[in-house]
Amino acid sequence: MRLPSGRLVRGRGLRRPLAASAPTPTYAVHLLGTQPPEVPWETRWIRWPDFWLPRDRAYAREVLTEAWNRASTAGERVEIACGGGRGRTGTALACLAVLDGVPPDEAVDFVRRNYDRHAVETPWQRRYVRGFAE
């Protein structure tokens, strides 16, 4: 997904294997309730149960801010991934959009238009995005 600043971030569901033709990320954020699988690239894990919110919101803000910063670096391929690639991934992508200057009330719609029309699955995930700017 291309953010308004031009930064690129790939969203993905970990239950689907990475396509053989897809470039591997250099940095990934895994949004899972349990320990993520081992991968050969740098990752950070945000403990985030399916359909819910991050267990540690301050840590989530730190990691997502790092992902946003790294997405601006030439050569960095940043990936945000949860199990299915919609709810938690969409929520995190909407938070990156807020960091990128999208108004919090418009960030979910931005992600649904530019990533997946079903992204951000629950009302509390939408509220989390609206409050992310605070």
Side-chain angles (χ1 to χ4, degrees):
M1 180 181 84
R2 184 174 299 279
L3 294 167
S5 66
R7 288 173 166 90
L8 289 173
V9 180
R10 179 173 60 204
R12 183 168 76 93
L14 293 169
R15 288 191 294 264
R16 285 170 283 173
L18 189 62
S21 62
T24 57
T26 53
Y27 178 76
V29 177
H30 291 163
L31 315 165
L32 298 169
T34 59
Q35 181 78 34
E38 291 289 323
V39 291
W41 49 83
E42 184 180 356
T43 63
R44 299 280 297 270
W45 171 34
I46 298 175
R47 188 178 297 266
W48 191 331
D50 201 7
F51 296 106
W52 291 100
L53 298 173
R55 292 285 187 222
D56 183 337
R57 293 182 189 174
Y59 176 72
R61 175 180 288 283
E62 172 189 321
V63 172
L64 293 175
T65 300
E66 180 181 0
W68 179 77
N69 284 323
R70 290 179 75 156
S72 69
T73 304
E76 288 268 18
R77 290 182 306 277
V78 176
E79 176 178 88
I80 307 293
C82 67
R86 287 189 170 169
R88 294 167 286 183
T89 296
T91 302
L93 290 172
C95 291
L96 294 183
V98 169
L99 291 172
D100 207 59
V102 175
D105 289 343
E106 299 172 20
V108 171
D109 288 336
F110 176 85
V111 170
R112 287 178 175 169
R113 278 191 319 274
N114 294 285
Y115 171 66
D116 185 310
R117 66 186 180 102
H118 299 291
V120 190
E121 296 174 314
T122 68
W124 42 91
Q125 288 172 340
R126 287 190 294 278
R127 278 194 302 272
Y128 178 72
V129 171
R130 283 194 306 271
F132 194 77
E134 299 170 359

